[in-house]
Short mmCIF file of all heavy atoms in Angstrom, two decimals:
data_model
loop_
_atom_site.label_atom_id
_atom_site.label_comp_id
_atom_site.label_asym_id
_atom_site.label_seq_id
_atom_site.Cartn_x
_atom_site.Cartn_y
_atom_site.Cartn_z
N ALA A 1427 6.63 -6.38 -5.27
CA ALA A 1427 6.13 -5.31 -4.56
C ALA A 1427 5.97 -5.54 -3.08
O ALA A 1427 5.21 -4.99 -2.44
CB ALA A 1427 4.76 -4.91 -5.18
N SER A 1428 6.77 -6.55 -2.57
CA SER A 1428 6.64 -6.86 -1.19
C SER A 1428 7.42 -6.05 -0.23
O SER A 1428 7.82 -6.45 0.84
CB SER A 1428 7.11 -8.36 -1.04
OG SER A 1428 8.45 -8.51 -1.42
N GLY A 1429 7.71 -4.74 -0.65
CA GLY A 1429 8.32 -3.84 0.19
C GLY A 1429 9.87 -3.67 -0.03
O GLY A 1429 10.39 -2.67 0.39
N GLU A 1430 10.50 -4.59 -0.75
CA GLU A 1430 11.92 -4.38 -1.00
C GLU A 1430 12.09 -3.23 -2.02
O GLU A 1430 11.22 -3.10 -2.89
CB GLU A 1430 12.58 -5.64 -1.48
CG GLU A 1430 12.34 -6.05 -2.91
CD GLU A 1430 11.09 -6.77 -3.23
OE1 GLU A 1430 10.28 -7.07 -2.26
OE2 GLU A 1430 10.88 -7.20 -4.34
N ARG A 1431 13.11 -2.53 -1.85
CA ARG A 1431 13.36 -1.39 -2.72
C ARG A 1431 14.45 -1.70 -3.75
O ARG A 1431 15.45 -2.32 -3.42
CB ARG A 1431 13.81 -0.17 -1.98
CG ARG A 1431 12.69 0.24 -0.95
CD ARG A 1431 12.86 1.62 -0.48
NE ARG A 1431 12.99 2.38 -1.74
CZ ARG A 1431 12.89 3.77 -1.63
NH1 ARG A 1431 12.71 4.33 -0.48
NH2 ARG A 1431 12.99 4.50 -2.75
N GLN A 1432 14.23 -1.33 -4.98
CA GLN A 1432 15.18 -1.48 -6.00
C GLN A 1432 15.93 -0.21 -6.19
O GLN A 1432 15.29 0.88 -6.22
CB GLN A 1432 14.48 -1.90 -7.32
CG GLN A 1432 13.76 -3.21 -7.23
CD GLN A 1432 14.66 -4.47 -7.18
OE1 GLN A 1432 15.75 -4.36 -7.74
NE2 GLN A 1432 14.21 -5.54 -6.51
N GLY A 1433 17.20 -0.20 -6.43
CA GLY A 1433 17.95 0.97 -6.71
C GLY A 1433 17.81 1.35 -8.13
O GLY A 1433 17.37 0.61 -8.92
N PRO A 1434 18.24 2.61 -8.45
CA PRO A 1434 18.19 3.03 -9.84
C PRO A 1434 19.02 2.08 -10.73
O PRO A 1434 20.15 1.69 -10.39
CB PRO A 1434 18.86 4.38 -9.83
CG PRO A 1434 18.65 4.86 -8.41
CD PRO A 1434 18.68 3.64 -7.60
N GLY A 1435 18.53 1.74 -11.93
CA GLY A 1435 19.26 0.90 -12.76
C GLY A 1435 19.00 -0.60 -12.55
O GLY A 1435 19.46 -1.44 -13.26
N GLN A 1436 18.39 -0.95 -11.44
CA GLN A 1436 18.12 -2.37 -11.16
C GLN A 1436 16.75 -2.71 -11.67
O GLN A 1436 15.71 -2.03 -11.24
CB GLN A 1436 18.20 -2.63 -9.71
CG GLN A 1436 19.58 -2.50 -9.11
CD GLN A 1436 19.66 -2.76 -7.61
OE1 GLN A 1436 18.66 -2.52 -6.98
NE2 GLN A 1436 20.73 -3.25 -7.11
N ASP A 1437 16.67 -3.72 -12.51
CA ASP A 1437 15.38 -4.13 -12.99
C ASP A 1437 14.74 -5.10 -11.99
O ASP A 1437 15.33 -6.13 -11.69
CB ASP A 1437 15.56 -4.82 -14.42
CG ASP A 1437 14.27 -5.04 -15.09
OD1 ASP A 1437 13.20 -4.79 -14.51
OD2 ASP A 1437 14.36 -5.39 -16.31
N PRO A 1438 13.51 -4.82 -11.49
CA PRO A 1438 12.95 -5.73 -10.54
C PRO A 1438 12.58 -7.07 -11.04
O PRO A 1438 12.46 -8.06 -10.28
CB PRO A 1438 11.61 -4.99 -10.08
CG PRO A 1438 11.30 -4.06 -11.28
CD PRO A 1438 12.63 -3.68 -11.87
N ASP A 1439 12.44 -7.21 -12.35
CA ASP A 1439 12.09 -8.53 -12.94
C ASP A 1439 12.84 -8.72 -14.27
O ASP A 1439 12.29 -8.54 -15.31
CB ASP A 1439 10.62 -8.66 -13.11
CG ASP A 1439 10.10 -10.05 -13.52
OD1 ASP A 1439 10.91 -11.02 -13.34
OD2 ASP A 1439 9.03 -10.17 -14.04
N PRO A 1440 14.16 -8.92 -14.17
CA PRO A 1440 14.90 -9.01 -15.44
C PRO A 1440 14.47 -10.16 -16.24
O PRO A 1440 14.25 -11.31 -15.78
CB PRO A 1440 16.38 -9.22 -14.97
CG PRO A 1440 16.30 -9.76 -13.64
CD PRO A 1440 14.99 -9.24 -13.01
N ASP A 1441 14.25 -9.90 -17.53
CA ASP A 1441 13.82 -10.91 -18.49
C ASP A 1441 14.57 -10.61 -19.78
O ASP A 1441 14.15 -9.71 -20.53
CB ASP A 1441 12.36 -10.88 -18.65
CG ASP A 1441 11.80 -12.01 -19.58
OD1 ASP A 1441 12.65 -12.77 -20.10
OD2 ASP A 1441 10.63 -12.17 -19.72
N PRO A 1442 15.60 -11.36 -20.14
CA PRO A 1442 16.37 -11.00 -21.30
C PRO A 1442 15.58 -11.11 -22.65
O PRO A 1442 15.95 -10.49 -23.59
CB PRO A 1442 17.48 -12.04 -21.36
CG PRO A 1442 17.03 -13.16 -20.39
CD PRO A 1442 16.04 -12.55 -19.48
N GLY A 1443 14.45 -11.78 -22.69
CA GLY A 1443 13.68 -11.86 -23.90
C GLY A 1443 12.79 -10.72 -24.09
O GLY A 1443 12.18 -10.52 -25.14
N GLN A 1444 12.59 -9.84 -23.12
CA GLN A 1444 11.76 -8.63 -23.24
C GLN A 1444 12.65 -7.36 -23.29
O GLN A 1444 13.69 -7.34 -22.67
CB GLN A 1444 10.83 -8.51 -22.02
CG GLN A 1444 9.89 -9.70 -21.84
CD GLN A 1444 8.87 -9.81 -22.91
OE1 GLN A 1444 8.39 -8.79 -23.44
NE2 GLN A 1444 8.54 -11.02 -23.39
N GLY A 1445 12.18 -6.32 -23.97
CA GLY A 1445 12.91 -5.09 -24.03
C GLY A 1445 13.20 -4.62 -25.39
O GLY A 1445 12.76 -5.20 -26.34
N SER A 1446 13.96 -3.49 -25.44
CA SER A 1446 14.12 -2.91 -26.72
C SER A 1446 15.04 -3.73 -27.68
O SER A 1446 14.99 -3.45 -28.84
CB SER A 1446 14.80 -1.54 -26.52
OG SER A 1446 16.01 -1.68 -25.76
N GLY A 1447 15.78 -4.68 -27.19
CA GLY A 1447 16.65 -5.49 -28.07
C GLY A 1447 15.91 -6.69 -28.61
O GLY A 1447 16.55 -7.49 -29.44
N SER A 1448 14.63 -6.96 -28.39
CA SER A 1448 14.03 -8.21 -28.76
C SER A 1448 13.41 -8.13 -30.16
O SER A 1448 12.94 -9.21 -30.60
CB SER A 1448 12.90 -8.57 -27.80
OG SER A 1448 11.91 -7.59 -27.76
N GLY A 1449 13.41 -7.04 -30.84
CA GLY A 1449 12.97 -6.94 -32.17
C GLY A 1449 11.50 -6.64 -32.35
O GLY A 1449 11.07 -5.93 -33.19
N ARG A 1450 10.63 -7.07 -31.41
CA ARG A 1450 9.21 -6.71 -31.52
C ARG A 1450 8.86 -5.89 -30.23
O ARG A 1450 9.42 -6.16 -29.14
CB ARG A 1450 8.34 -7.89 -31.65
CG ARG A 1450 8.06 -8.67 -30.41
CD ARG A 1450 7.21 -9.90 -30.76
NE ARG A 1450 7.50 -10.93 -29.87
CZ ARG A 1450 6.88 -11.09 -28.67
NH1 ARG A 1450 5.87 -10.34 -28.42
NH2 ARG A 1450 7.20 -12.06 -27.83
N PRO A 1451 8.03 -4.87 -30.35
CA PRO A 1451 7.69 -3.97 -29.23
C PRO A 1451 6.88 -4.79 -28.19
O PRO A 1451 6.15 -5.67 -28.45
CB PRO A 1451 6.81 -2.90 -29.78
CG PRO A 1451 6.37 -3.36 -31.08
CD PRO A 1451 7.36 -4.45 -31.56
N GLN A 1452 7.14 -4.45 -26.91
CA GLN A 1452 6.43 -5.05 -25.82
C GLN A 1452 5.13 -4.33 -25.70
O GLN A 1452 5.09 -3.09 -25.53
CB GLN A 1452 7.30 -4.94 -24.53
CG GLN A 1452 6.59 -5.66 -23.39
CD GLN A 1452 7.51 -5.57 -22.14
OE1 GLN A 1452 8.65 -5.13 -22.17
NE2 GLN A 1452 6.94 -6.05 -20.99
N PRO A 1453 4.03 -5.08 -25.77
CA PRO A 1453 2.71 -4.40 -25.69
C PRO A 1453 2.36 -3.86 -24.26
O PRO A 1453 2.95 -4.22 -23.32
CB PRO A 1453 1.70 -5.47 -26.11
CG PRO A 1453 2.38 -6.72 -25.69
CD PRO A 1453 3.86 -6.45 -25.86
N LEU A 1454 1.40 -3.04 -24.30
CA LEU A 1454 0.88 -2.46 -23.02
C LEU A 1454 0.08 -3.55 -22.23
O LEU A 1454 -0.73 -4.31 -22.87
CB LEU A 1454 -0.01 -1.28 -23.27
CG LEU A 1454 -0.66 -0.60 -22.06
CD1 LEU A 1454 0.32 0.15 -21.27
CD2 LEU A 1454 -1.82 0.33 -22.46
N GLU A 1455 0.28 -3.66 -20.95
CA GLU A 1455 -0.59 -4.53 -20.16
C GLU A 1455 -1.98 -4.01 -20.11
O GLU A 1455 -2.24 -2.81 -19.74
CB GLU A 1455 0.01 -4.58 -18.68
CG GLU A 1455 -0.86 -5.38 -17.71
CD GLU A 1455 -0.89 -6.85 -18.07
OE1 GLU A 1455 0.15 -7.41 -18.54
OE2 GLU A 1455 -1.86 -7.45 -17.79
N PRO A 1456 -3.02 -4.76 -20.61
CA PRO A 1456 -4.38 -4.33 -20.62
C PRO A 1456 -5.03 -3.72 -19.35
O PRO A 1456 -5.71 -2.77 -19.42
CB PRO A 1456 -5.19 -5.59 -21.11
CG PRO A 1456 -4.13 -6.39 -21.78
CD PRO A 1456 -2.83 -6.17 -21.04
N SER A 1457 -4.45 -4.34 -18.23
CA SER A 1457 -5.06 -3.82 -16.95
C SER A 1457 -4.64 -2.34 -16.58
O SER A 1457 -5.31 -1.76 -15.90
CB SER A 1457 -4.63 -4.72 -15.82
OG SER A 1457 -3.21 -4.67 -15.63
N LEU A 1458 -3.58 -1.82 -17.26
CA LEU A 1458 -3.13 -0.50 -17.08
C LEU A 1458 -4.08 0.55 -17.72
O LEU A 1458 -4.14 1.71 -17.31
CB LEU A 1458 -1.70 -0.26 -17.58
CG LEU A 1458 -0.60 -0.87 -16.77
CD1 LEU A 1458 0.78 -0.57 -17.44
CD2 LEU A 1458 -0.61 -0.30 -15.34
N LEU A 1459 -4.73 0.12 -18.80
CA LEU A 1459 -5.56 1.06 -19.62
C LEU A 1459 -6.61 1.71 -18.82
O LEU A 1459 -6.93 2.87 -19.08
CB LEU A 1459 -6.13 0.28 -20.83
CG LEU A 1459 -6.61 1.15 -21.96
CD1 LEU A 1459 -5.58 2.15 -22.49
CD2 LEU A 1459 -7.11 0.34 -23.05
N ARG A 1460 -7.19 0.98 -17.87
CA ARG A 1460 -8.29 1.70 -17.07
C ARG A 1460 -7.72 2.77 -16.15
O ARG A 1460 -8.54 3.61 -15.71
CB ARG A 1460 -9.00 0.56 -16.25
CG ARG A 1460 -8.15 -0.15 -15.14
CD ARG A 1460 -8.87 -1.15 -14.46
NE ARG A 1460 -7.92 -2.00 -13.72
CZ ARG A 1460 -8.21 -2.72 -12.79
NH1 ARG A 1460 -9.57 -3.04 -12.50
NH2 ARG A 1460 -7.39 -3.47 -12.19
N PHE A 1461 -6.37 2.81 -15.88
CA PHE A 1461 -5.84 3.86 -15.02
C PHE A 1461 -5.30 5.01 -15.83
O PHE A 1461 -5.07 6.09 -15.24
CB PHE A 1461 -4.70 3.33 -14.18
CG PHE A 1461 -5.11 2.22 -13.29
CD1 PHE A 1461 -4.70 0.97 -13.47
CD2 PHE A 1461 -5.93 2.48 -12.19
CE1 PHE A 1461 -5.08 -0.12 -12.61
CE2 PHE A 1461 -6.29 1.49 -11.32
CZ PHE A 1461 -5.90 0.17 -11.52
N LEU A 1462 -5.00 4.86 -17.07
CA LEU A 1462 -4.36 5.89 -17.90
C LEU A 1462 -5.36 6.75 -18.56
O LEU A 1462 -6.33 6.34 -19.19
CB LEU A 1462 -3.43 5.24 -18.87
CG LEU A 1462 -2.33 4.36 -18.36
CD1 LEU A 1462 -1.56 3.70 -19.38
CD2 LEU A 1462 -1.37 5.19 -17.50
N VAL A 1463 -5.13 8.05 -18.44
CA VAL A 1463 -5.86 9.09 -19.20
C VAL A 1463 -4.92 10.03 -19.83
O VAL A 1463 -3.72 10.09 -19.48
CB VAL A 1463 -6.79 9.88 -18.25
CG1 VAL A 1463 -7.91 8.94 -17.65
CG2 VAL A 1463 -6.03 10.64 -17.18
N CYS A 1464 -5.38 10.74 -20.87
CA CYS A 1464 -4.51 11.74 -21.58
C CYS A 1464 -4.19 12.85 -20.59
O CYS A 1464 -5.02 13.41 -19.89
CB CYS A 1464 -5.36 12.33 -22.72
SG CYS A 1464 -4.43 13.65 -23.60
N PRO A 1465 -2.90 13.20 -20.52
CA PRO A 1465 -2.55 14.28 -19.57
C PRO A 1465 -3.00 15.69 -19.95
O PRO A 1465 -3.12 16.59 -19.19
CB PRO A 1465 -1.01 14.22 -19.60
CG PRO A 1465 -0.63 13.59 -20.84
CD PRO A 1465 -1.74 12.60 -21.18
N LEU A 1466 -3.43 15.84 -21.28
CA LEU A 1466 -3.90 17.12 -21.76
C LEU A 1466 -5.42 17.18 -21.54
O LEU A 1466 -5.90 18.23 -20.98
CB LEU A 1466 -3.56 17.28 -23.21
CG LEU A 1466 -2.06 17.27 -23.57
CD1 LEU A 1466 -1.87 17.29 -25.11
CD2 LEU A 1466 -1.44 18.45 -22.85
N SER A 1467 -6.20 16.23 -22.01
CA SER A 1467 -7.64 16.40 -21.89
C SER A 1467 -8.28 15.60 -20.69
O SER A 1467 -9.43 15.80 -20.43
CB SER A 1467 -8.29 15.72 -23.15
OG SER A 1467 -8.03 14.36 -23.24
N LYS A 1468 -7.47 14.79 -20.03
CA LYS A 1468 -7.95 13.91 -18.90
C LYS A 1468 -9.03 12.97 -19.31
O LYS A 1468 -9.78 12.53 -18.53
CB LYS A 1468 -8.46 14.81 -17.77
CG LYS A 1468 -7.56 15.94 -17.35
CD LYS A 1468 -6.25 15.37 -16.80
CE LYS A 1468 -5.42 16.47 -16.23
NZ LYS A 1468 -4.19 16.87 -16.98
N ARG A 1469 -9.01 12.58 -20.59
CA ARG A 1469 -10.01 11.63 -21.14
C ARG A 1469 -9.39 10.27 -21.31
O ARG A 1469 -8.14 10.21 -21.48
CB ARG A 1469 -10.57 12.10 -22.53
CG ARG A 1469 -11.08 13.60 -22.50
CD ARG A 1469 -12.45 13.62 -21.99
NE ARG A 1469 -13.28 12.69 -22.73
CZ ARG A 1469 -14.57 12.73 -22.75
NH1 ARG A 1469 -15.22 13.72 -22.19
NH2 ARG A 1469 -15.28 11.81 -23.46
N PRO A 1470 -10.18 9.22 -21.31
CA PRO A 1470 -9.59 7.85 -21.52
C PRO A 1470 -8.96 7.72 -22.90
O PRO A 1470 -9.21 8.48 -23.88
CB PRO A 1470 -10.85 6.94 -21.46
CG PRO A 1470 -11.92 7.76 -20.73
CD PRO A 1470 -11.66 9.14 -21.10
N LEU A 1471 -7.99 6.86 -22.96
CA LEU A 1471 -7.23 6.58 -24.20
C LEU A 1471 -7.60 5.17 -24.69
O LEU A 1471 -8.11 4.31 -24.03
CB LEU A 1471 -5.77 6.67 -23.89
CG LEU A 1471 -5.27 8.00 -23.38
CD1 LEU A 1471 -3.88 7.85 -22.81
CD2 LEU A 1471 -5.24 8.99 -24.53
N ARG A 1472 -7.40 5.04 -26.04
CA ARG A 1472 -7.64 3.77 -26.69
C ARG A 1472 -6.31 3.20 -27.14
O ARG A 1472 -5.44 3.86 -27.62
CB ARG A 1472 -8.45 3.96 -27.91
CG ARG A 1472 -8.73 2.69 -28.76
CD ARG A 1472 -9.62 2.97 -29.95
NE ARG A 1472 -9.05 3.93 -30.92
CZ ARG A 1472 -8.15 3.65 -31.87
NH1 ARG A 1472 -7.58 2.52 -31.96
NH2 ARG A 1472 -7.70 4.66 -32.64
#
């Protein structure tokens, strides 16, 4: 996030072990949960 811009289709942090082909789902980063609310009710999510 140091100001460089990534173009469409460029992954800012490529990691071949992560993603849809790895077999197990990538979990949500816990720090994001405090920012996310339901778009319908605007209430916190679990």
Side-chain angles (χ1 to χ4, degrees):
S1428 61
E1430 78 273 7
R1431 296 201 55 167
Q1432 299 287 332
Q1436 293 179 330
D1437 193 351
D1439 188 20
D1441 185 355
Q1444 301 290 325
S1446 56
S1448 66
R1450 77 182 152 92
Q1452 184 176 354
L1454 178 73
E1455 175 65 33
S1457 64
L1458 287 179
L1459 196 54
R1460 63 183 167 165
F1461 298 111
L1462 298 175
V1463 296
C1464 177
L1466 299 174
S1467 68
K1468 310 297 188 252
R1469 305 282 305 201
L1471 297 164
R1472 177 179 58 82

